[in-house]
Amino acid sequence: MDDIEEAALSNVGIHLGGFMFVSCWTFNEIESIPLWKMYTPATKGVRISLDKNMFKKHIVTKEDSEKYHIQTNGESFSSIIPVAKMFTSQYTILNTFWNEDFFYKKIEYTDDLNQIYNSLIQNNSNGVSLNFDNVGRFKHKHWEFQDECRFRLIILPNDNINIGDKRYATYIHSCVKEERFPIIDSFFIDLKDDAFDNLRITLSPYATEADKLIVNALCKEYAPNAHIINSSLKGKVRI
């Protein structure tokens, strides 16, 4: 993360941020001069806009539920990640993303990050509780200009322990306490087949005609229905 405070998010010496994978976007439809300056080269770059509901749905069958010990009402349902990719010998993706309110979050900005840090890990009568809901959800008010929103996944390492095992909760706590992070550093979710039909690409304020030709050629090949537009800031911001 570009926010060093957030990247170091921890409590009582335990680093929860290492288990949270995020995809970061801006919620604001209006172009941002700071974001152009921070995230694109001086005369290159594009702004990509997609529907929030961009991910492909995969059917989770009754057989899948039984095999992976998923609690359901016995009926099939859909998941943006196939269950076979959720539970592997290398990692486990917790099904928190089935909860839309957890998976997609607008960032909340605060001037008291210590309060957030203190809420991450708490001792109670039943042991230790881990509050992953507050991870990847807050940033200092210095970053408020980003108007950021995110998709979030919790990914844990897996030592061939089944999610239905009674020891699973203890295993999660030990991974967190010992900072045994997953061996993967990225995870990609399939997009809908027609996701790029509503793709909108805004060219950099400094884009040249050559840049525009390149973007048009790429879209002709991979996203023929994409809508390419010039920046509303073109000719208004000095390089």
Side-chain angles (χ1 to χ4, degrees):
M1 313 306 297
D2 50 9
D3 179 358
I4 295 175
E5 282 185 292
E6 183 185 17
L9 187 66
S10 65
N11 186 29
V12 296
I14 296 176
H15 182 63
L16 289 184
F19 303 97
M20 181 69 75
F21 287 58
V22 295
S23 176
C24 305
W25 301 69
T26 181
F27 187 78
N28 200 332
E29 292 190 6
I30 300 173
E31 289 180 66
S32 165
I33 295 173
L35 294 186
W36 277 121
K37 293 284 190 179
M38 288 178 69
Y39 296 116
T40 62
T43 60
K44 306 292 180 182
V46 295
R47 184 182 196 263
I48 294 175
S49 303
L50 280 168
D51 293 337
K52 185 180 77 170
N53 185 23
M54 68 182 84
F55 303 109
K56 181 180 289 188
K57 297 291 183 68
H58 304 270
I59 297 299
V60 179
T61 65
K62 181 180 178 181
E63 290 75 18
D64 289 331
S65 300
E66 292 174 351
K67 179 178 180 180
Y68 295 102
H69 301 274
I70 300 171
Q71 298 297 318
T72 69
N73 58 6
E75 298 178 359
S76 297
F77 62 100
S78 61
S79 167
I80 59 171
I81 301 175
V83 289
K85 289 187 176 182
M86 290 172 56
F87 309 107
T88 75
S89 59
Q90 296 180 321
Y91 62 83
T92 295
I93 301 176
L94 297 191
N95 64 353
T96 48
F97 65 88
W98 287 346
N99 178 352
E100 173 70 13
D101 188 52
F102 183 96
F103 178 55
Y104 174 81
K105 277 288 185 185
K106 286 195 68 178
I107 292 296
E108 298 178 42
Y109 299 93
T110 177
D111 54 10
D112 186 9
L113 285 175
N114 285 330
Q115 181 180 355
I116 308 304
Y117 292 171
N118 293 335
S119 72
L120 299 180
I121 299 172
Q122 297 178 342
N123 293 304
N124 53 48
S125 58
N126 295 320
V128 177
S129 62
L130 307 175
N131 184 8
F132 274 107
D133 188 48
N134 280 347
V135 180
R137 177 181 171 186
F138 295 91
K139 295 177 76 168
H140 196 279
K141 284 189 175 181
H142 300 317
W143 298 90
E144 203 163 10
F145 68 90
Q146 292 181 326
D147 200 10
E148 187 176 347
C149 53
R150 290 176 173 173
F151 300 100
R152 304 185 299 167
L153 293 177
I154 299 173
I155 304 182
L156 299 166
N158 191 358
D159 296 326
N160 289 313
I161 184 169
N162 194 299
I163 194 171
D165 195 305
K166 293 180 179 180
R167 300 170 297 164
Y168 193 74
T170 303
Y171 169 74
I172 291 177
H173 280 90
S174 67
C175 286
V176 172
K177 185 176 181 180
E178 298 167 15
E179 294 194 346
R180 283 187 281 137
F181 300 124
I183 64 172
I184 60 172
D185 57 13
S186 61
F187 184 86
F188 295 91
I189 303 177
D190 295 333
L191 297 179
K192 291 179 177 177
D193 294 337
D194 61 354
F196 285 175
D197 288 351
N198 294 323
L199 174 63
R200 188 169 76 253
I201 298 177
T202 305
L203 298 171
S204 164
Y206 318 110
T208 65
E209 284 303 310
D211 297 326
K212 190 171 184 178
L213 286 173
I214 292 171
V215 173
N216 274 291
L218 287 169
C219 285
K220 184 177 180 180
E221 178 72 20
Y222 299 106
N225 295 323
H227 185 46
I228 304 170
I229 61 176
N230 290 318
S231 170
S232 61
L233 298 169
K234 190 172 181 62
K236 300 177 182 179
V237 183
R238 195 179 306 277
I239 297 178

